Amino acid sequence: LLTVSGREISRQMMRSPWIRSVSVRKEFPGTLAITIQETEPFALLDMNARLILIDEGGKFLEELKGDAVPFLPIIVSDPYKEKEGFSEALQLVRRLNDKGLTAGMDHIEVIAHKPNEIYISMDEAIIKVGAGGYDEKLERLMHLQEDLRGRNIPVDYIDLRFGDKAIVKPITAKRNKE
């Protein structure tokens, strides 16, 4: 136990992206106590047709191989080329989770190439969100979805980028037939 370096054990364990923090403590005469806090997957990053698990800060955890079934919100972006859009997408997914909008959805994609053009594909609908003000925009969306469901209006897209209003484009009968 005297020759074991707690700092070296911690450093080696922190190489894994799945470990958030490590605490190593020597308890004499013969116990080494290691406490690990794991990283939780937050979203999937679709980067150039590769699906990568990421944590809440956008750190890459692991690439999904084969015919993986998406089980988390997907962010479509390139964090190297579209840093601002990717950062905004992380904030938006955080807000979607906080408001419970990801629960019960089969498919959620946040497309974030340019911050002002960020949109969400939720199941069949497109929601244009843009950058910032996510709490207010998502509150408007929740009230609007309730109203649209009550009126049984199928929606092509909802645009929340303009102040206190929303633009709703219903699906036309012609498109329904296609």
Side-chain angles (χ1 to χ4, degrees):
L1 199 57
L2 290 173
T3 61
V4 173
S5 167
R7 186 169 288 144
E8 181 61 23
I9 291 171
S10 179
R11 190 178 68 73
Q12 291 288 335
M13 293 184 85
M14 288 300 294
R15 286 184 176 172
S16 169
W18 288 98
I19 296 178
R20 179 177 292 173
S21 67
V22 176
S23 171
V24 180
R25 192 176 72 241
K26 296 177 183 179
E27 296 174 358
F28 292 100
T31 303
L32 185 64
I34 301 175
T35 305
I36 298 171
Q37 183 180 20
E38 293 178 289
T39 300
E40 294 181 25
F42 174 71
L44 289 163
L45 173 63
D46 183 343
M47 184 174 72
N48 304 321
R50 293 173 46 213
L51 276 181
I52 302 164
L53 280 167
I54 59 173
D55 71 4
E56 193 168 340
K59 181 175 145 189
F60 291 19
L61 299 175
E62 183 177 318
E63 184 173 351
L64 296 182
K65 302 284 185 186
D67 293 331
V69 176
F71 55 94
L72 292 168
I74 300 170
I75 297 173
V76 180
S77 186
D78 184 337
Y80 301 111
K81 295 177 183 170
E82 302 156 345
K83 289 179 184 172
E84 220 179 311
F86 179 65
S87 177
E88 287 291 327
L90 288 171
Q91 290 178 46
L92 177 54
V93 171
R94 204 170 292 119
R95 294 275 112 8
L96 286 166
N97 287 338
D98 291 348
K99 297 210 176 279
L101 289 169
T102 56
M105 291 286 175
D106 291 331
H107 184 80
I108 296 178
E109 279 188 22
V110 175
I111 293 78
H113 299 297
K114 295 180 182 176
N116 292 329
E117 297 174 7
I118 292 174
Y119 67 92
I120 308 166
S121 173
M122 297 175 91
D123 290 338
E124 296 296 319
I126 300 294
I127 296 94
K128 297 177 181 184
V129 182
Y134 300 126
D135 286 329
E136 185 269 328
K137 289 175 181 177
L138 294 176
E139 284 294 325
R140 268 191 290 146
L141 175 64
M142 289 173 8
H143 293 296
L144 192 55
Q145 283 179 322
E146 222 173 89
D147 190 37
L148 292 169
R149 256 184 254 130
R151 296 178 184 199
N152 198 25
I153 300 172
V155 173
D156 186 21
Y157 73 82
I158 300 171
D159 195 337
L160 301 170
R161 297 176 293 173
F162 307 104
D164 290 339
K165 59 184 166 187
I167 298 169
V168 177
K169 182 178 185 248
I171 296 175
T172 60
K174 181 180 176 185
R175 181 164 171 227
N176 277 340
K177 291 177 184 178
E178 291 176 0

